[in-house]
Amino acid sequence: MEIVSIEAGTYRAMMFHFEAFARKVGALCEPHVGKRLDEWLDNQDVCLILNISPRTLQNLRETGKLPYSQINRKMYYKPEDVEKVINNVGL
């Protein structure tokens, strides 16, 4: 084990900068709190819930009846948006 000693002033300066960095990271992450991917549904989940084919799901997306988010080539849907489709479209 290697022991490194630094002056107290240098340590306090390092801690000050580290805490400032941590605050900045926290401020950047704050708007995204609660946006976890496990709360979203993918194509397969929505097809099973609505009892529809993938092509029908694509049609709902294209006509704007079902909002979605896309990450790379995969689509994700909010559960509340799927509920709205059930109530509004009558699936």
Side-chain angles (χ1 to χ4, degrees), residues 1-46:
M1 178 164 80
E2 185 177 345
I3 298 174
V4 177
S5 63
I6 59 174
E7 293 179 357
T10 304
Y11 176 77
R12 284 192 293 275
M14 285 175 39
M15 289 305 297
F16 174 78
H17 290 294
F18 178 76
E19 289 168 356
F21 175 74
R23 282 192 300 275
K24 288 179 183 178
V25 169
L28 288 172
C29 293
E30 189 174 332
H32 303 287
V33 171
K35 293 183 181 178
R36 295 189 346 243
L37 195 55
D38 61 344
E39 295 174 353
W40 290 61
L41 304 169
D42 64 5
N43 286 340
Q44 183 179 5
D45 295 331
V46 175

Side-chain angles (χ1 to χ4, degrees), residues 68-76:
Y68 66 98
S69 293
Q70 184 174 352
I71 300 176
N72 292 329
R73 303 178 92 197
K74 190 163 174 130
M75 312 297 181
Y76 293 97

